[in-house]
Amino acid sequence: MKTYRILFVCLGNICRSPMAEYVFRSQAAEAGVAHRIETASSGTSGWHNGENMHNGTLKKLKQQGIDPSGFASSQVRQSDGSRYDFLIAMDDNNLAELERLFGRRPEQIFKLTDLIPESGYNHVPDPWYTGDFDETFRLVSDGSRALLRKLGLTP
Ligand code: 4NP
């Protein structure tokens, strides 16, 4: 059976993309398809390399019953372009940086909000600036569910 490797990408890899990684893994486990996915996250900046997630992300994941342990922030690498089936950006800046590194590949590299046009958002707001981890969680959660459907892993 086909498995999918998915990398979620934001700027710092401490707020949005770690949330997406852990939510997606949790939803896949809940749907009984954890064995069909391999997922990770990274940041375009490398500013927080080796650090744990932001406290707000940790708190939100725990509040939602998701175990946030085992995380260390990392930066996107050149080898990620061939390692992952999908590289999923949180906003236009992340997307532009991924396209600079790997070229424009709309089937493989796109924004999470592209999967949820009904949300009315064209990016996942950065709680580093907004302070609103609930809003970010809602979008990440809806986007993650849409991704599972896109991959044919849930109905
Ligand atoms: P993230 O948020 O890209 O969702 O992880 C940020 C984290 C850190 C910074 C900016 C955004 N920073 O400027 O250090």
Side-chain angles (χ1 to χ4, degrees):
M1 241 192 226
K2 185 160 173 49
T3 63
Y4 296 97
R5 284 185 288 202
I6 291 136
L7 184 69
F8 294 99
V9 177
C10 63
L11 174 61
N13 189 219
I14 55 171
C15 296
R16 294 165 295 172
S17 62
M19 192 186 279
E21 173 192 342
Y22 279 68
V23 165
F24 184 64
R25 195 180 290 118
S26 162
Q27 288 180 358
E30 222 162 79
V33 294
H35 59 292
R36 305 274 314 273
I37 61 136
E38 189 189 309
T39 188
S41 63
S42 60
T44 56
S45 69
W47 292 336
H48 296 275
N49 281 351
E51 292 176 24
N52 200 355
M53 294 172 206
H54 190 288
N55 257 329
T57 298
L58 284 171
K59 197 171 142 201
K60 191 68 199 166
L61 288 173
K62 285 184 198 155
Q63 182 208 93
Q64 296 293 321
I66 299 171
D67 177 5
S69 62
F71 182 76
S73 179
S74 63
Q75 186 172 15
V76 179
R77 318 178 160 78
Q78 198 63 51
S79 55
D80 291 336
S82 52
R83 173 167 169 71
Y84 290 97
D85 299 303
F86 297 97
L87 293 95
I88 303 184
M90 298 298 130
D91 63 32
D92 286 310
N93 291 327
N94 316 147
L95 181 65
E97 183 61 15
L98 291 174
E99 290 180 341
R100 191 185 67 78
L101 287 167
F102 306 121
R104 195 173 166 274
R105 306 183 194 172
E107 301 299 316
Q108 185 196 7
I109 304 178
F110 50 84
K111 289 184 290 184
L112 188 63
T113 48
D114 292 345
L115 302 177
I116 45 169
E118 69 283 2
S119 70
Y121 285 80
N122 61 9
H123 68 285
V124 178
D126 191 341
W128 176 268
Y129 302 109
T130 66
D132 191 344
F133 287 85
D134 298 337
E135 175 190 48
T136 295
F137 182 85
R138 280 195 304 277
L139 283 164
V140 158
S141 193
D142 290 350
S144 170
R145 244 180 252 110
L147 180 59
L148 283 171
R149 283 195 300 273
K150 173 186 167 70
L151 302 179
L153 297 175
T154 54

